[in-house]
Amino acid sequence: MGTTDRSTSEAKRVLLGLTGGVAAYKAAELARLLISSGVEVQVVMTTSASRFIGTATLQALTGRPVFTELWDASVANNMAHIDLSRNVDVIFIAPASADFIAKVAHGLADDLLSTLCLARACPLLIAPAMNRQMWENPATQRNLDALHRDGVTVLGPAKGVQACGETGLGRMLEAHELAEAVHAFFQPKPLQDKRVLITAGPTFEAIDAVRGITNSSSGKMGYAAARAAAEAGADVVLISGPVCLEAPRIARLIKVTSAQDMLAAVKSEAPYADFFISVAAVADYRPKSASEHKTKKNDRNIMLELVPNPDILEYVANLPAPPFCIGFAAETQDLEENAEAKRRRKKLPLLAANLAQEAIGAEEVALTLFDDSGRHPLPKSSKIEQARHLIAHAVSLYDKWRNFNSCKK
Ligand code: C5P
């Protein structure tokens, strides 16, 4: 199926199709999330879906009439099944019931939504939602194989407690995961077949069994970089220090605590990476020795001897065949001078700099990218938007950097 040719700056248009399943309630939140992120949503529901959630709810959330009938006299040419599927960038069925999946797999068209799917000129995404036995049934799996072969993108399902009380595979993904997947679907894929290694969050250096020193870092920028790299088609490995963020489904997550743990994980992954994005706020020092037990307090001053931690980014950048390395610099003053000096000292083709006092824990950030051609300011925007710009910039430098580096060897 060809994609509709629309410029990326235009709002994307999604035809959201609901079929019969308890998870239909999540589709209301999905519609809301898509609309609040600038996507135009047109809802079409099957008769069974309208037993689970009212058309009025979706109409109010999307500000558009909800279509349910194949034979709709209000559509001037009575061809809702053609018109609706022509004016969208993607059809997204969420929830997709076992019955509806079977219909699409066999090309049946006995209601408005299945007819739209058959008549479409755009890609089709589905988010299955059903009881675990229905999911595991060989008939459903055969139908899913057919959909995969037809180029349909299947999102989920997740494993967990189901409405029927059983536990297993078949739960529809959560609304925010589906909204992210829709945005990811629309991103260009310049990193297909590339492996991206990312460090994120702070490290924690133990003093004793319950105390330690760390850096302020929410991990949000590193997790956004992981999401942006995955959206661009990369195979992503995310090595994360302790953060309070939900593990991204799109990346292989390796959890670490100290800088030494992080270095060990990076050492074993770096040889396979095409890009290394070092977002982690690695503690520069660690206590020389950590006590196994909790140190008892008393009234005397105590001395804590600190020793320097390894510089993980420097280690990777100095490998005999390093990946394309991207550093981050969080500075509190003289941002530009400090950032460019850091980029040169660490021999990086690209470095992103921000003001620590504005960036740590924030949802939005202003970034300046530094490369061999100079500085490239990115005005304040969400961390995922900035991460997408960063990935696009790295991709634009990659081929030249690789040719130059292979000449040097
Ligand atoms: O701490 P500094 O400002 O030097 O950090 C700059 C870059 O170096 C960041 O990308 C950070 O992830 C990386 N770094 C590291 N290991 C360290 C210190 C910093 O990888 N020990």
Side-chain angles (χ1 to χ4, degrees):
M1 293 285 158
T3 39
T4 317
D5 183 24
R6 301 179 75 218
S7 114
T8 45
S9 57
E10 277 180 78
K12 294 294 182 189
R13 297 168 301 186
V14 173
L15 189 146
L16 180 60
L18 279 65
T19 70
V22 189
Y25 76 93
K26 295 185 189 174
E29 175 69 357
L30 171 61
R32 196 189 66 75
L33 288 172
L34 289 175
I35 286 169
S36 64
S37 57
V39 175
E40 290 173 17
V41 179
Q42 171 64 60
V43 173
V44 174
M45 289 167 64
T46 63
T47 312
S48 314
S50 58
R51 292 195 171 242
F52 288 95
I53 186 167
T55 52
T57 305
L58 276 310
Q59 182 170 348
L61 285 168
T62 60
R64 289 165 189 267
V66 170
F67 290 89
T68 53
E69 299 296 327
L70 191 54
W71 308 110
D72 188 339
S74 71
V75 178
N77 62 1
N78 218 326
M79 294 232 185
H81 62 291
I82 303 291
D83 292 353
L84 287 169
S85 74
R86 290 296 174 274
N87 290 324
V88 290
D89 297 296
V90 71
I91 296 178
F92 184 17
I93 310 295
S97 65
D99 174 64
F100 196 79
I101 287 171
K103 270 196 205 178
V104 178
H106 290 87
L108 299 184
D110 63 354
D111 62 8
L112 177 59
L113 193 54
S114 54
T115 310
L116 275 168
C117 290
L118 195 62
R120 77 186 188 279
C122 64
L124 177 62
L125 307 183
I126 65 162
M130 66 197 72
N131 164 271
R132 71 182 172 91
Q133 298 286 13
M134 293 169 90
W135 173 257
E136 284 163 18
N137 192 297
T140 303
Q141 291 303 316
R142 268 199 311 276
N143 292 333
L144 283 155
D145 284 346
L147 291 188
H148 282 299
R149 279 197 302 278
D150 291 346
V152 175
T153 302
V154 180
L155 303 170
K159 213 175 191 170
V161 181
Q162 305 198 309
C164 53
E166 294 179 9
T167 301
L169 260 179
R171 275 179 65 90
M172 187 167 85
L173 296 183
E174 298 306 321
H176 70 276
E177 295 173 311
L178 294 176
E180 281 183 11
V182 170
H183 286 288
F185 184 79
F186 287 130
Q187 296 303 315
K189 306 280 178 248
L191 294 182
Q192 206 92 58
D193 305 323
K194 293 278 184 277
R195 169 78 68 95
V196 177
L197 177 64
I198 299 174
T199 60
T203 63
F204 179 88
E205 313 297 327
I207 295 172
D208 67 18
V210 295
R211 304 182 183 92
I213 53 174
T214 187
N215 282 345
S216 294
S217 169
S218 63
K220 286 179 188 168
M221 191 67 226
Y223 278 56
R227 195 178 135 197
E231 286 178 351
D235 180 7
V236 179
V237 178
L238 175 60
I239 300 177
S240 176
V243 294
C244 301
L245 297 174
E246 194 180 324
R249 296 175 59 83
I250 33 88
R252 180 152 68 81
L253 180 69
I254 302 175
K255 290 186 184 177
V256 296
T257 304
S258 69
Q260 285 176 303
D261 295 344
M262 188 174 271
L263 177 63
V266 166
K267 275 185 174 172
S268 59
E269 295 293 335
Y272 311 106
D274 300 291
F275 291 80
F276 176 51
I277 314 182
S278 181
V279 198
V282 183
D284 290 322
Y285 297 91
R286 67 177 183 278
K288 189 172 180 190
S289 57
S291 158
E292 193 189 334
H293 297 289
K294 185 178 172 186
T295 310
K296 291 289 166 211
K297 78 173 172 191
N298 57 41
D299 293 338
R300 289 194 305 276
N301 290 359
I302 54 169
M303 294 292 290
L304 187 61
E305 189 178 353
L306 301 178
V307 295
N309 264 330
D311 192 305
I312 299 169
L313 177 55
E314 234 168 71
Y315 163 83
V316 177
N318 285 295
L319 285 172
F324 183 98
C325 288
I326 305 169
F328 265 75
E331 303 291 338
T332 54
Q333 56 189 358
D334 302 328
L335 179 68
E336 311 227 329
E337 299 73 18
N338 285 333
E340 182 55 10
K342 196 163 284 184
R343 187 180 81 85
R344 289 184 183 280
R345 192 173 65 247
K346 298 200 184 191
K347 294 189 229 144
L348 308 173
L350 182 60
L351 180 135
N354 54 30
L355 280 172
Q357 56 272 38
E358 289 177 7
I360 294 171
E363 297 301 326
E364 294 194 326
V365 69
L367 277 188
T368 307
L369 307 185
F370 293 84
D371 61 21
D372 285 342
S373 71
R375 57 188 287 281
H376 312 272
L378 299 175
K380 192 168 181 177
S381 183
S382 66
K383 287 185 173 175
I384 181 64
E385 272 305 317
Q386 301 296 49
R388 286 178 186 145
H389 287 305
L390 178 69
I391 296 285
H393 198 89
V395 166
S396 75
L397 301 177
Y398 181 71
D399 284 340
K400 195 172 161 204
W401 171 86
R402 204 178 50 170
N403 289 340
F404 181 71
N405 278 271
S406 54
C407 290
K408 278 199 305 188
K409 279 170 210 153

